[in-house]
Amino acid sequence: MKRHRPNWIAGIGALAWLLVVGLPIYVMLATTVQTREGYGRNGPLAPPDTFTLDNYTGAFDEGFGRYLFNTLVVTVSVVAIVLLLVPPLAYAIVRSRSRLTSGVFRLFLLGLAIPAQAVIVPIFYLISKAGLYDNLVGVILPTAAFSLPVCALILSGVMRDITPDLYEAMAIDGASPARVFAQLVLPLSRGGIATIAVFSALQAWNGFLFPLILTQSDSTKVITLGLYNFQTQYGINIPGLLAAVVLSMVPVLLVYLFARRALVQGLMGVGGK
Amino acid sequence: MSTTTLAASAATEQRRARRSPGGPTLSRPGFAWALPATLFFGLFALVPLVLVVVLSFTSWAGLGSPEYVGLDNWQRLARDPVMINSLWLSVLLTALGVLVQTPLSLLIGVWASGPQRNRAVLSAVFFLPLLLSATAVSVLWRALLDPNFGVPGQAPWLFGDGNLFGSRTGAIAVLVFVGSWQFIPFHALIYQGAARAVPAVLYQAAEVDGAGRWEQFRHVTLPQLRNAMITSVVLMVVGGLTTFDTVLILTQGGPGTDTTITAYHMYEQAFRSFDFGAGAAIALLLVVVATVISLIVVRVSGYDKMRSTMEGL
């Protein structure tokens, strides 16, 4: 029996948090449509008295298009690798009776706890030795590898929910593991596959550490590094800088609009289960 | 951490599978299905984990091959005041982060799990910072808190001279605030998921016993969120100890070395001073400290004994 007495304190708290999150985002958006002079005159809190989109076009003049393209290449490749490797892995984790496989699952659980910082020196060493330094491939490979544990965890959780009866029915029909995978497991875990795609895309899109240490030239910069660069080089031009920040978020917000459920489930799956 | 739960459930699953006739083994996938992912992951995560140990005993400047130097890196680090200070700072920032973020995430998460009107719309906004990269968040706040052009200049009654980045306290406060702004939504989401899973019967029983809203929260919701809380705190600890991009963009470890936390010190040693041996040693130390603290949290909280939240049902 839920009562529907309004909880005023909770309501006020919720509004307060809304302000804490919403206000900075509003200030950011308002700043980006002002001229530099207008912003300098009014400061961040006053309503804008000028309107311009020059800050956005300015970001593209500074090479934002190139960074956008590089980030897209990294993100698509990472998602492709994850989608190629994780479904068979999760299938084996859930269905295989091999002791090796349960060992592998523990390995991935251990991997969940390895922070990327812990291994950046050796990864820099490996990538340099492999001749992939300052090459997007060198960014893609470790980024994808570090997405695997979480994605394996999420997807094996989803595949575990497929009822054993279905497997048994297919086994009686004499289906091979590959057929079970293609005709039963994949179709029934479509939601989970969407989740890991969105999740690994978000990680790749927002990745900073691997690009920072593994690339150097302008032609291999991704958006996050571009932002970092804008900040150190054009830190005074706050409207221009924030326009670049907004641009970096637009694709993520679009994905969020279309795949909110998949994303939230994935994020909950990280810790909530 | 949820990993423990999952490992345990995987183990029971396999035991069950061996006992029951199930399907014939023929229709089960073999280890080969897991092999490609395992090799790939091993190459980029597990091999480096071994390599970091090896590299910590070498001197390497990024060119040529690493040279064995024994304990030299470790001895230098033990004498490095910045290094020792950075460990304290990391622990301080992590502790402050946990103390600020836990109560707020808990309240927001429990609120968002309830039946309020407009909740869906509100929680969509609540969780926006989740989508932003640490880079975008840091650049945004660096701009908003800029001493000359940002908010502090407009509110001297609140910020004094306005240069938050110029004092140790100010810089630490900024890092804690920005970290909370960014990560509270994530932890709130963990609590939201857990709060939704609390069986309604428990509330009904409490209601029958005449428990008010606060008593219900205190005696039903909180105990039921125990596992979520441990998961969340462990993630905060590991995340806090390895915070790096935020520091790089917001304070660059300054003023002076006042916010040079261990992860940032490692980056400076390895990738700015090209002393990769020392960088590897710090990285190794970081992994060990993060693991030990996580284990302590899990042990102290009794999570490893898998105390069930279903007690009392």
Side-chain angles (χ1 to χ4, degrees), chain B residues 109-133:
Chain B
V110 171
W111 179 84
S113 73
Q116 282 84 354
R117 253 176 303 148
N118 307 327
R119 185 177 42 79
V121 178
L122 278 182
S123 48
V125 180
F126 277 8
F127 298 133
L128 265 184
L130 271 178
L131 303 175
L132 313 191
S133 59

Side-chain angles (χ1 to χ4, degrees), chain A residues 3 5 7 20 39 42-43 45 95-97 102 104 112 117-118 122 124 129 153 177 206 224 231 256 263, chain B residues 3 6 14 17 26 28-29 31 41 44 48 64 131 133 135 142 149 154 181 207 213 242 244 272 276 287:
Chain A
R3 290 160 310 170
R5 184 159 58 85
N7 187 344
V20 171
Y39 178 76
N42 300 321
L45 295 181
R95 288 294 290 170
S96 172
R97 279 179 175 175
S102 62
V104 159
L112 211 54
Q117 276 96 335
F124 174 74
K129 289 281 162 192
L153 197 68
N206 288 341
T224 47
Q231 196 224 13
Y256 182 59
L263 179 70
Chain B
T3 56
L6 275 153
Q14 263 156 6
L26 258 184
R28 286 179 181 271
F31 171 65
F41 183 65
F44 287 100
L131 303 175
S133 59
T135 323
R142 174 82 217 190
F149 305 102
Q154 292 194 314
W181 192 83
E207 192 97 337
R213 186 173 269 134
T242 54
F244 163 76
R272 288 209 172 145
F276 289 95
V287 186

Side-chain angles (χ1 to χ4, degrees), chain A residues 62-64 67 71 208 218 221-234 241 244, chain B residues 135 139:
Chain A
E62 297 292 343
F64 198 84
Y67 307 155
T71 310
F208 178 72
D218 233 26
K221 264 201 183 74
V222 294
I223 289 178
T224 47
L225 272 194
L227 287 182
Y228 175 54
N229 250 37
F230 284 160
Q231 196 224 13
T232 44
Q233 287 172 26
Y234 313 101
L241 182 64
Chain B
T135 323
V139 170

Side-chain angles (χ1 to χ4, degrees), chain B:
Chain B
M1 229 166 131
S2 58
T3 56
T4 337
T5 343
L6 275 153
S9 75
T12 39
E13 179 124 351
Q14 263 156 6
R15 236 175 288 125
R16 200 187 321 135
R18 262 182 228 115
R19 232 185 297 116
S20 75
T25 324
L26 258 184
S27 72
R28 286 179 181 271
F31 171 65
W33 286 78
L35 196 61
T38 311
L39 286 179
F40 186 70
F41 183 65
L43 184 60
F44 287 100
L46 301 172
V47 169
L49 208 57
V50 176
L51 256 179
V52 81
V53 181
V54 175
L55 285 171
S56 76
F57 297 108
T58 68
S59 162
W60 186 49
L63 295 168
S65 290
E67 240 173 82
Y68 178 76
V69 293
L71 287 173
D72 181 55
N73 295 319
W74 293 96
Q75 282 161 349
R76 273 190 302 134
L77 286 182
R79 285 193 305 266
D80 175 4
V82 178
M83 176 66 212
I84 295 157
N85 187 41
S86 79
L87 278 175
W88 284 120
L89 258 176
S90 301
V91 172
L92 173 74
L93 275 170
T94 305
L96 287 174
V98 171
L99 288 177
V100 171
Q101 291 175 35
T102 301
L104 290 173
S105 329
L106 183 65
L107 288 177
I108 294 169
V110 171
W111 179 84
S113 73
Q116 282 84 354
R117 253 176 303 148
N118 307 327
R119 185 177 42 79
V121 178
L122 278 182
S123 48
V125 180
F126 277 8
F127 298 133
L128 265 184
L130 271 178
L131 303 175
L132 313 191
S133 59
T135 323
V137 169
S138 309
V139 170
L140 167 63
W141 281 104
R142 174 82 217 190
L144 289 181
L145 296 175
D146 187 276
N148 301 311
F149 305 102
V151 177
Q154 292 194 314
W157 48 272
L158 185 60
F159 294 99
D161 72 349
N163 189 4
L164 291 173
F165 299 100
S167 74
R168 183 185 151 92
T169 320
I172 288 178
V174 168
L175 289 176
V176 172
F177 173 78
V178 173
S180 304
W181 192 83
Q182 190 189 355
F183 288 114
I184 281 177
F186 173 72
H187 296 281
L189 205 58
I190 293 181
Y191 287 116
Q192 185 193 11
R196 284 226 177 110
V198 176
V201 261
L202 291 183
Y203 290 107
Q204 287 157 13
E207 192 97 337
V208 170
D209 290 345
R213 186 173 269 134
W214 163 248
E215 281 144 345
Q216 287 186 17
F217 179 75
R218 169 80 187 73
H219 296 290
V220 178
T221 313
L222 268 188
Q224 290 284 318
L225 292 184
R226 188 191 150 75
N227 287 350
M229 192 176 286
I230 292 156
T231 304
S232 155
V233 168
V234 168
L235 291 175
M236 278 180 197
V237 167
V238 175
L241 289 176
T242 54
T243 306
F244 163 76
D245 13 22
T246 323
V247 174
L248 176 69
I249 292 167
L250 281 168
T251 68
Q252 313 243 289
T257 54
D258 280 347
T259 57
T260 301
I261 60 167
T262 309
Y264 185 72
H265 191 47
M266 173 197 64
Y267 170 74
E268 281 193 320
Q269 290 288 302
F271 296 97
R272 288 209 172 145
S273 312
F274 300 104
D275 186 350
F276 289 95
I282 303 176
L284 189 54
L285 195 67
L286 206 63
V287 186
V288 172
V289 171
T291 312
V292 167
I293 295 187
S294 304
L295 286 178
I296 292 174
V297 172
V298 170
R299 178 57 59 88
V300 166
S301 58
Y303 189 60
D304 55 337
K305 296 188 196 76
M306 299 299 299
R307 265 173 45 184
S308 168
T309 46
M310 300 308 263
E311 277 170 63
L313 264 187

Side-chain angles (χ1 to χ4, degrees), chain A:
Chain A
M1 312 302 111
K2 281 251 185 272
R3 290 160 310 170
H4 291 286
R5 184 159 58 85
N7 187 344
W8 291 108
I9 298 175
I12 291 166
L15 281 180
W17 182 251
L18 194 65
L19 277 182
V20 171
V21 172
L23 201 59
I25 290 178
Y26 162 75
V27 170
M28 170 170 70
L29 291 175
T31 301
T32 58
V33 294
Q34 296 181 68
T35 61
R36 252 179 91 177
E37 293 71 29
Y39 178 76
R41 195 163 55 238
N42 300 321
L45 295 181
D49 60 2
T50 53
F51 182 86
T52 172
L53 291 177
D54 288 354
N55 297 311
Y56 288 95
T57 53
F60 282 97
D61 295 339
E62 297 292 343
F64 198 84
R66 174 86 220 178
Y67 307 155
L68 193 77
F69 176 75
N70 287 341
T71 310
L72 205 65
V73 169
V74 170
T75 304
V76 170
S77 314
V78 166
V79 172
I81 294 176
V82 164
L83 289 187
L84 203 66
L85 292 182
V86 174
L89 171 71
Y91 175 47
I93 287 173
V94 173
R95 288 294 290 170
S96 172
R97 279 179 175 175
S98 154
R99 271 171 202 281
L100 264 178
T101 317
S102 62
V104 159
F105 186 45
R106 296 224 172 86
L107 212 66
F108 276 98
L109 290 178
L110 173 83
L112 211 54
I114 305 175
Q117 276 96 335
V119 292
I120 56 169
V121 173
I123 282 183
F124 174 74
Y125 175 78
L126 287 174
I127 294 288
S128 313
K129 289 281 162 192
L132 291 173
Y133 180 73
D134 205 19
N135 183 328
L136 286 180
V137 176
V139 176
I140 292 165
L141 297 178
T143 307
F146 272 80
S147 295
L148 291 186
V150 175
C151 292
L153 197 68
I154 294 172
L155 196 60
S156 59
V158 171
M159 286 183 181
R160 214 162 256 139
D161 292 340
I162 300 172
T163 54
D165 306 357
L166 293 171
Y167 289 111
E168 273 167 36
M170 287 203 79
I172 288 166
D173 290 349
S176 65
R179 235 189 89 198
V180 174
F181 181 67
Q183 296 186 345
L184 174 70
V185 177
L186 281 187
L188 285 185
S189 46
R190 254 185 316 210
I193 291 171
T195 302
I196 62 169
V198 172
F199 194 78
S200 54
L202 188 68
Q203 283 198 323
W205 189 272
N206 288 341
F208 178 72
L209 186 64
F210 289 132
L212 176 72
I213 61 152
L214 298 173
T215 64
Q216 152 186 68
S217 44
D218 233 26
S219 60
T220 52
K221 264 201 183 74
V222 294
I223 289 178
T224 47
L225 272 194
L227 287 182
Y228 175 54
N229 250 37
F230 284 160
Q231 196 224 13
T232 44
Q233 287 172 26
Y234 313 101
I236 306 279
N237 179 6
I238 287 182
L241 182 64
L242 291 182
V245 172
V246 173
L247 285 176
S248 80
M249 293 161 33
V250 170
V252 182
L253 287 175
L254 286 179
V255 171
Y256 182 59
L257 283 181
F258 290 108
R260 182 165 179 264
R261 185 173 288 272
L263 179 70
V264 169
Q265 272 169 356
L267 291 167
M268 279 176 151
V270 177
K273 277 216 156 180

